[in-house]
Amino acid sequence: MRRANKAAYFKGKLYKKESLLKDDIDLILEKKRIRQFLKERRACISELDHAEFSQRITQKVIAHPKVIEAQTIFAFVSWSSEVNTHSLIKMFLNQGKTVVVPKILSA
């Protein structure tokens, strides 16, 4: 039987759960609550509005001077109700930019 993971990431560092302070745990729980709230809000957006919002965000990103001059771009691969980043990633790759995306090791 596999033991439960007794560690958590906080501010980019791995901590044993016993070493986290109550305030740290409260912050982690609040962030989870906010993420869930935003996920529920995004789920209410129509497909048409989602496409329009994604397009607007894409246009703002590609027009940003730092993005224009960058040779390496860090991006997330969208899924579900998130802003669609697939076309943006393809465009960067077609421009010869290096695109770096996070790899999720566990959920």
Side-chain angles (χ1 to χ4, degrees):
M1 176 179 236
R2 190 172 179 202
R3 295 180 75 175
N5 186 354
K6 293 192 175 196
Y9 280 96
F10 181 69
K11 293 186 179 178
K13 295 181 183 176
L14 184 64
Y15 292 89
K16 290 185 178 179
K17 286 190 179 174
E18 295 82 20
S19 69
L20 290 174
L21 301 173
K22 182 184 180 317
D23 289 344
D24 296 336
I25 293 170
D26 289 345
L27 180 61
I28 291 168
L29 294 174
E30 179 66 8
K31 286 173 69 175
K32 284 183 180 183
R33 188 191 68 73
I34 291 169
R35 284 188 188 106
Q36 182 61 36
F37 171 77
L38 293 173
K39 183 178 178 181
E40 291 168 4
R41 293 277 311 262
R42 285 194 316 263
C44 295
I45 297 173
S46 72
E47 285 186 38
L48 185 61
D49 285 342
H50 180 266
E52 182 181 331
F53 295 151
S54 291
Q55 183 61 29
R56 278 197 226 163
I57 292 168
T58 297
Q59 292 304 316
K60 287 186 179 201
V61 169
I62 62 176
H64 195 284
K66 294 285 186 183
V67 173
I68 293 168
E69 69 185 37
Q71 292 305 306
T72 302
I73 303 287
F74 185 84
F76 68 94
V77 179
S78 60
W79 65 285
S80 188
S81 62
E82 296 175 332
V83 171
N84 186 336
T85 59
H86 295 264
S87 60
L88 194 59
I89 291 170
K90 287 177 188 172
M91 183 193 73
F92 290 145
L93 291 171
N94 288 337
Q95 291 176 351
K97 295 181 185 280
T98 299
V99 178
V100 182
V101 298
K103 178 179 180 181
I104 306 300
L105 300 176
S106 64

